[in-house]
Amino acid sequence: MKLDELFIREDATILETMKRLDETGRRILFIAPKGELKAVLTDGDLRKWLLRGGKLTDEVRLAANYNPKYLPVADRGRAKMVMEQYGIDALPIIGRDGKVNDIMFGTGLDVDNRKPANIPVVVMAGGLGTRLYPYTKILPKPLIPVGEQPISEMILDRFAEYGCKDAFMIVNYKKNMIKSYFNDLEGKSYQTHFVDETEFLGTGGGLCLMKGKLDSTFFFSNCDTLLDVDYGDVLEYHRSHNNVITMICSYKHFQVPYGVVEMGENGTILAQREKPELNFLTNTGVYVVEPRVVEELEDGKKQGFPDVIEKYRLAGENVGVYPINESSWMDMGQMEELEKMRRKLEGKV
């Protein structure tokens, strides 16, 4: 990667900056006009700006940090120590000419700034996986491999990195295969508990089977979603806002490949736009949930978890959104997305 690919203009919009972060695969960019370091911007800075009511069309300078940490080129040997001291995972190196000479990243330097979560995880793993047919005619969706591991194992491994050692899987379709796989799995750093769903109740209805099993805040996840996110930070956000449910959402950018026409009265053209670009927040299917939600569910009622969220929202309860970049969300719910996930994990995109 070239150094200037990590630079962003000061007047670039938040949306343009998010796209650049997605393109680079890094979580940080630098404002460095003519190569001279002026400010730094992380995906966390963008998230905080948007949560404060900022807009995608705002200039990135409004969200940037104009007091960045850096080191002169002669002191680059201190990079690891400085990153550990300040809890950062990237550090600009400034040359004698005052310009950015290099960027040191924490990768490979044992710099771990993740916040622990240490709460249970519940994975909804009982669906038929019809969108992945014919794969799911042979294997249940949670066991479909992405590379060398099944998707559900990758999900639980990711949570375990943040201290989530108790994993509950609500199983139904081909449940014995799922149980056998995880019971025989060696070296896992978490305990797996299974809850049988005898009829399909949906992502919200199936959660009622967890009554009496949870007494703390927990993560709730679909079995086809892998996120590159600091789960400890998500939990901290959830608690600081006193949310009953926090939904992790990804910004999506989609360009319609056609000219769009809006029709007025009597068949007239009211407006037309050539290949418009749409920007919206999408539910990733991963949540932080308070245990009382489980206890308040109606037994045996078929419903999706978004229906449960809507009930609390309409009741005036705190239901929040934790936004992430598009590149931080990998979804294998459809055949095309499954192939994209495989290529991304193999480093081919």
Side-chain angles (χ1 to χ4, degrees), residues 1-8 20-21 24-32 41 103 105:
M1 177 180 294
K2 296 180 180 179
L3 190 60
D4 58 6
E5 292 179 14
L6 294 172
F7 294 166
I8 191 75
R20 177 68 66 83
L21 285 168
T24 63
R26 300 289 186 175
R27 294 181 174 180
I28 192 167
L29 293 173
F30 302 89
I31 295 175
L41 183 95
I103 307 292
F105 287 95

Side-chain angles (χ1 to χ4, degrees), residues 139-259:
L139 288 172
K141 183 166 63 172
L143 295 187
I144 291 179
V146 183
E148 298 181 357
Q149 286 181 290
I151 179 61
S152 55
E153 183 184 354
M154 297 176 71
I155 290 170
L156 293 179
D157 282 348
R158 186 68 57 89
F159 278 112
E161 292 174 4
Y162 291 86
C164 301
K165 303 299 184 181
D166 271 329
F168 295 84
M169 301 186 77
I170 300 175
V171 294
N172 187 336
Y173 178 64
K174 295 185 182 291
K175 60 185 178 184
N176 290 332
M177 293 180 67
I178 300 171
K179 292 179 181 180
S180 295
Y181 180 85
F182 280 96
N183 286 334
D184 294 341
L185 187 62
E186 296 180 355
K188 65 179 186 291
S189 59
Y190 49 87
Q191 293 292 321
T192 312
H193 316 278
F194 299 98
V195 179
D196 289 351
E197 181 188 52
T198 55
E199 60 176 315
F200 295 109
L201 297 175
T203 53
L207 195 57
C208 74
L209 301 172
M210 293 298 301
K211 286 185 178 181
K213 296 179 173 63
L214 296 166
D215 58 7
S216 72
T217 307
F218 64 96
F219 287 111
F220 183 43
S221 175
N222 290 341
C223 68
D224 54 12
T225 294
L226 188 66
L227 302 183
D228 182 14
V229 64
D230 186 331
Y231 284 113
D233 190 64
V234 177
L235 178 60
E236 184 178 279
Y237 169 80
H238 171 84
R239 286 174 169 165
S240 67
H241 287 74
N242 296 314
N243 288 343
V244 64
I245 300 171
T246 296
M247 175 191 293
I248 302 179
C249 291
S250 170
Y251 279 99
K252 277 287 186 180
H253 317 295
F254 176 73
Q255 185 169 28
V256 179
Y258 313 104

Side-chain angles (χ1 to χ4, degrees), residues 76-85 91 109-111:
R76 67 182 299 146
R78 298 176 53 236
K80 176 181 178 180
M81 180 187 70
V82 172
M83 284 189 276
E84 289 177 341
Q85 179 182 355
L91 191 66
L109 291 177
D110 298 323
V111 177

Side-chain angles (χ1 to χ4, degrees), residues 50-62:
L50 292 167
L51 288 171
R52 290 198 300 266
K55 300 180 179 63
L56 293 175
T57 53
D58 291 338
E59 292 186 357
V60 73
R61 62 180 177 79
L62 299 172

